[in-house]
Amino acid sequence: MEKKILIDALHSEEKRVAIVEGDTLVDFYVEVASKEQLKGNIYKGVIARIEPGLQAAFVDFGQKKQGFLQIREIAPDFFQNKKEGKRPRVQDVLAKGQEIIVQVEKDERDTKGASLTTYLSLPGRYIVMMPGQQRVGISRKIEDRDDRDRLKELFSSLKLPKDMGFILRTTCSDISGEELANDLKYLTKLWNKIQAESKKASAPALIYKEHDMAVRTVRDYLTSDVAEVLVDDETAYRKIKEFLRRTIPWRKINITYYRGKEPIFSQHAIEEQIARLNERTVSLPSHGYLVFDKTEALTAIDVNSGRSRKEENVEATAFKTNLEAVEEIARQLRLRDIGGLVVMDFIDMESAKNRREVESSLKRALSSDKAHFDITGISRFGIVEMTRERLRPSYVDSMNTKCLVCGGAGILRSDEMVAVSALRELHSKLSAGGVKGLTCRLPVESANYLINTKRSDILALEKSFGIAIVVMGDTKLLPGQFALDVEGLKETQKEAPKEARKEAHRTPRKEHRKEAPKEPQTEAAQEPQALQQEAPAEAQQRDKPKSRRSRQRSRRRRERESAQQAAREETQQNSSAQVSPGPAAPEAPSSGGQENEAETPRESPEEAPSGMQGEAAAEATREPQTEGGEQAASPEAEAPRDTELLQEQH
């Protein structure tokens, strides 16, 4: 059946190419202006980073993401240090800042940058030129032995440039030597132009840009079985004509500029087939179907019999469904450009003959695919594994972006689960503490469920934590989302209690140091110290002074011991006489050697009024005496600890 190439380049945002056989879409390509294809472009780049752990280098070639260059893709001509007999290491043969000529082998995908190679290739109409290589090969799809021998003899008779490798493409199986010579001449001129441009350009820079999609399609897919090429854009039509004039001017090709009012794809009834490329399931003629599931590492294709019931037994139904699936899988791999690892789950078949027939049919269906592939046989579980080269960005990736709501998963949480999840998160925030107020925003349906169904739980949380909780619907939130707005306590409020405790702990000590008087003591104030001198020796030994102030007071006490004894005797003889007030003396240390934090400073006689001086003297004469004739220490003068010690002694 004759083929047609339909090129829809009317809109600059999206260019599409379809290859049809009759009314069946057999191949499809799309190029979006927002996602420029870099594959095939040649750049002059700079080594930005060397990764010994990966045995690769990252190259700055003028794009946002740096390119990835593996050690096996580096030609020996770029090695700085060549060591014979040793396997080269990237850190030994390359240096940071080194300029290098690279070609994009794979476009950027997801988070990965473009894959680069230094083994350049320039595809022509019949020949692929590979500078720097020394081999000549023939496409594996030319299987006829006579054709292969004829092409080898024909090509060897041409004048080939030095240090060049070549591959004869599938389209040259039935051409003459003159056509090969013209294509070789075109590629040689192109390579000389690239070399001249690389010497002038400063890295990073673009040296050679691959043809646009319309020209590439004609170059790669215009075979003898193509009856017509239809183009609906005048600019694309002129580019194609110019390319064919330079490469194959002697060949007459039916290329038509389409001027119809109806869109070119709609006229050939393929728009509906293109729209189905986004669908997860694909129907089969016998009412079976295929299911395509894409993961990060592979694509899984599941074959199901569906409503197929026309066969006489289960084995026959499985065999027929699998044969239909083989043809459709090969077609979908090309249309969707599924690359990487592909796993196909066929319906189980007991007959070994049927399994071999399905394997052979799959290989025949894939033989027309331009991408390289490797395939295994059917395992005992009915699984076939294959790897396929990715030629271009897939249609699904080019036309679609990841869903903002589900993140590409294809599923959403229900309104009830969103409300419960928000309630759990709300409880967790309150339990962490430091929350002054809290607002929970949800989609309207989820907010209604939370308010109406979980009202008691919200009230219980408010009562337990003493914090008001606000639940509100937010139309800006996407389904399945929620947000918590937390009003936290100020840092100064959180730290105030701790600072207050520290200040309260420091204040008495500071005041005590400021209030410690240095004037000599009065006889009345020395009375409690004299009483403490008669404490048992073992109590004084147990409560030895520990602080510096206590040691100073003990030293002064020993120096004044004799004077205090005389003053006490004089006070006992003249108990009814007034004692003239003198300067206030510092208190004696407690028996435990600790500072008395409860003491209050006494006023000096010069500062106190005269009336108060007389009252203080009278008070000193009215102090009670113990049974031994000694005065007891007053509670105001002694610390509670000292008072308890005296009570134990008496």
Side-chain angles (χ1 to χ4, degrees):
M1 185 179 294
E2 291 184 345
K3 294 181 180 180
K4 287 184 179 181
I5 297 178
L6 310 177
I7 301 176
D8 178 15
L10 194 60
H11 304 287
S12 59
E13 294 83 5
E14 179 189 26
K15 296 180 180 180
R16 302 184 297 173
V17 173
I19 301 176
V20 297
E21 286 184 0
D23 294 332
T24 303
L25 181 67
V26 296
D27 222 333
F28 180 69
Y29 307 93
V30 63
E31 188 176 84
V32 182
S34 60
K35 297 180 180 179
E36 182 184 5
Q37 183 173 341
L38 304 178
K39 183 178 179 181
N41 292 356
I42 299 177
Y43 296 86
K44 187 176 184 180
V46 180
I47 302 296
R49 192 167 78 252
I50 296 176
E51 295 291 346
L54 299 175
Q55 280 300 292
F58 288 92
V59 181
D60 178 12
F61 64 107
Q63 299 298 315
K64 292 182 180 180
K65 293 182 180 178
Q66 296 176 350
F68 184 70
L69 180 64
Q70 293 180 304
I71 182 66
R72 66 171 180 265
E73 298 294 341
I74 303 174
D77 295 340
F78 294 101
F79 289 179
Q80 291 191 341
N81 300 314
K82 297 182 180 180
K83 295 182 180 179
E84 298 294 337
K86 290 186 178 182
R87 186 176 181 180
R89 300 187 305 171
V90 67
Q91 61 267 33
D92 297 333
V93 299
L94 293 183
K96 185 177 179 181
Q98 177 183 347
E99 294 186 351
I100 192 168
I101 306 298
V102 293
Q103 187 175 29
V104 178
E105 191 175 31
K106 293 181 182 178
D107 280 299
E108 298 178 359
R109 185 168 180 267
D110 298 331
T111 58
K112 299 178 181 178
S115 297
L116 307 178
T117 181
T118 60
Y119 293 101
L120 309 182
S121 61
L122 301 175
R125 182 72 181 87
Y126 305 112
I127 304 172
V128 177
M129 177 183 282
M130 299 178 294
Q133 303 187 44
Q134 302 293 331
R135 64 188 181 93
V136 176
I138 300 176
S139 173
R140 291 177 295 179
K141 294 184 179 180
I142 302 177
E143 298 178 352
D144 188 84
R145 188 66 184 175
D146 294 336
D147 288 342
R148 296 179 68 89
D149 293 340
R150 183 183 65 84
L151 288 173
K152 283 183 181 179
E153 183 179 354
L154 193 64
F155 193 71
S156 60
S157 64
L158 300 177
K159 186 179 180 180
L160 303 178
K162 295 181 180 180
D163 298 328
M164 284 289 179
F166 299 94
I167 295 178
L168 302 183
R169 306 184 70 176
T170 308
T171 54
C172 69
S173 58
D174 57 351
I175 64 172
S176 63
E178 184 181 0
E179 292 174 319
L180 278 179
N182 288 334
D183 201 34
L184 178 62
K185 184 179 179 180
Y186 164 73
L187 292 176
T188 303
K189 290 182 178 179
L190 179 61
W191 172 240
N192 292 335
K193 183 179 179 181
I194 292 174
Q195 284 184 311
E197 187 67 25
S198 65
K199 294 177 181 178
K200 295 188 300 182
S202 58
L206 173 65
I207 298 175
Y208 167 74
K209 184 175 178 61
E210 179 67 299
H211 296 295
D212 64 5
M213 188 179 60
V215 176
R216 289 199 311 268
T217 303
V218 173
R219 181 192 67 190
D220 299 337
Y221 293 92
L222 184 60
T223 55
S224 57
D225 59 347
V226 175
E228 187 179 15
V229 179
L230 293 176
V231 187
D232 65 356
D233 181 64
E234 187 175 0
T235 303
Y237 173 75
R238 290 177 179 175
K239 287 182 178 180
I240 294 173
K241 293 287 286 185
E242 177 63 22
F243 172 77
L244 294 177
R245 186 187 62 79
R246 294 197 312 266
T247 55
I248 48 175
W250 60 89
R251 183 174 177 182
K252 186 177 180 179
I253 302 173
N254 186 13
I255 298 180
T256 307
Y257 174 41
Y258 178 77
R259 292 182 173 88
K261 294 182 179 180
E262 188 179 5
I264 187 172
F265 281 9
S266 298
Q267 187 188 32
H268 292 79
I270 59 174
E271 283 288 5
E272 186 178 352
Q273 299 180 53
I274 295 173
R276 288 201 294 265
L277 296 180
N278 278 324
E279 296 180 0
R280 181 171 175 257
T281 60
V282 177
S283 299
L284 299 175
S286 63
H287 302 292
Y289 61 93
L290 307 176
V291 180
F292 290 80
D293 287 314
K294 183 180 178 182
T295 68
E296 184 70 22
L298 56 86
T299 301
I301 304 175
D302 185 26
V303 181
N304 295 279
S305 60
R307 293 180 294 131
S308 179
R309 301 290 187 273
K310 294 182 179 180
E311 305 304 320
E312 57 185 8
N313 53 45
V314 175
E315 181 72 15
T317 301
F319 179 62
K320 182 179 180 181
T321 305
N322 287 340
L323 287 179
E324 293 178 351
V326 161
E327 298 293 333
E328 190 62 31
I329 286 173
R331 176 171 170 264
Q332 292 293 328
L333 289 177
R334 294 193 304 270
L335 294 176
R336 304 186 184 211
D337 195 33
I338 298 175
L341 182 62
V342 182
V343 177
M344 293 165 276
D345 181 15
F346 289 96
I347 302 174
D348 292 339
M349 297 175 292
E350 296 181 359
S351 172
K353 179 182 177 182
N354 291 342
R355 289 198 294 270
R356 288 194 299 270
E357 181 64 26
V358 171
E359 291 174 6
S360 301
S361 299
L362 180 59
K363 292 178 181 178
R364 286 196 301 269
L366 292 171
S367 61
S368 60
D369 195 346
K370 287 186 174 294
H372 297 293
F373 62 88
D374 190 12
I375 189 170
T376 66
I378 299 179
S379 69
R380 64 190 184 95
F381 302 111
I383 301 295
V384 174
E385 300 174 11
M386 71 171 291
T387 57
R388 182 181 181 274
E389 178 190 11
R390 183 178 288 106
L391 297 177
R392 61 191 181 277
S394 67
Y395 175 70
V396 175
D397 294 339
S398 300
M399 299 298 297
N400 303 293
T401 58
K402 188 175 291 186
C403 176
L404 298 177
V405 179
C406 67
I411 55 176
L412 290 175
R413 287 187 297 176
S414 63
D415 295 327
E416 295 84 355
M417 291 300 100
V418 174
V420 172
S421 299
L423 187 62
R424 290 197 191 101
E425 185 68 18
L426 189 148
H427 192 174
S428 177
K429 291 288 185 183
L430 293 176
S431 301
V435 178
K436 184 179 180 181
L438 198 148
T439 301
C440 181
R441 296 183 290 110
L442 305 95
V444 176
E445 296 297 332
S446 301
N448 290 339
Y449 182 86
L450 183 60
I451 294 172
N452 297 328
T453 309
K454 298 294 182 180
R455 184 186 300 273
S456 58
D457 296 331
I458 296 175
L459 293 175
L461 290 176
E462 289 181 332
K463 183 178 179 181
S464 177
F465 293 96
I467 295 172
I469 300 173
V470 178
V471 179
M472 58 184 297
D474 191 345
T475 56
K476 294 182 180 180
L477 291 176
L478 298 174
Q481 298 179 345
F482 66 88
L484 296 181
D485 300 330
V486 180
E487 181 183 355
L489 296 174
K490 294 182 179 179
E491 294 298 326
T492 55
Q493 294 177 348
K494 294 180 181 179
E495 298 296 331
K498 185 186 295 185
E499 295 296 332
R501 290 194 297 271
K502 290 182 178 180
E503 187 66 25
H505 184 69
R506 291 194 297 264
T507 300
R509 297 183 179 179
K510 292 181 179 179
E511 291 179 354
H512 188 74
R513 287 195 295 269
K514 293 178 181 179
E515 294 167 359
K518 297 182 180 179
E519 293 80 10
Q521 293 177 323
T522 61
E523 295 178 358
Q526 294 170 359
E527 193 65 24
Q529 296 176 352
L531 185 61
Q532 290 180 9
Q533 294 298 325
E534 297 182 5
E538 60 272 19
Q540 294 179 1
Q541 183 68 22
R542 183 179 69 248
D543 299 322
K544 187 183 296 183
K546 297 180 180 179
S547 65
R548 179 181 178 184
R549 186 180 297 276
S550 298
R551 290 194 297 270
Q552 292 175 351
R553 290 177 178 176
S554 298
R555 185 170 61 253
R556 290 196 298 269
R557 181 186 60 192
R558 289 193 298 271
E559 293 173 355
R560 295 190 299 267
E561 186 175 4
S562 58
Q564 291 173 356
Q565 182 66 25
R568 188 181 65 237
E569 292 176 355
E570 184 179 355
T571 302
Q572 290 176 355
Q573 294 173 1
N574 304 310
S575 59
S576 59
Q578 270 192 350
V579 179
S580 61
E587 293 185 14
S590 62
S591 60
Q594 301 294 331
E595 295 178 9
N596 186 4
E597 296 181 0
E599 65 179 350
T600 57
R602 296 175 180 267
E603 294 180 349
S604 63
E606 291 79 9
E607 296 175 355
S610 59
M612 294 181 66
Q613 294 177 13
E615 292 177 4
E619 186 66 21
T621 59
R622 290 196 297 269
E623 289 182 356
Q625 295 182 354
T626 60
E627 293 180 359
E630 298 177 354
Q631 282 184 325
S634 63
E636 293 82 0
E638 293 294 324
R641 188 180 302 174
D642 297 331
T643 305
E644 293 174 3
L645 179 61
L646 292 175
Q647 290 176 357
E648 291 177 1
Q649 293 174 356
H650 289 284

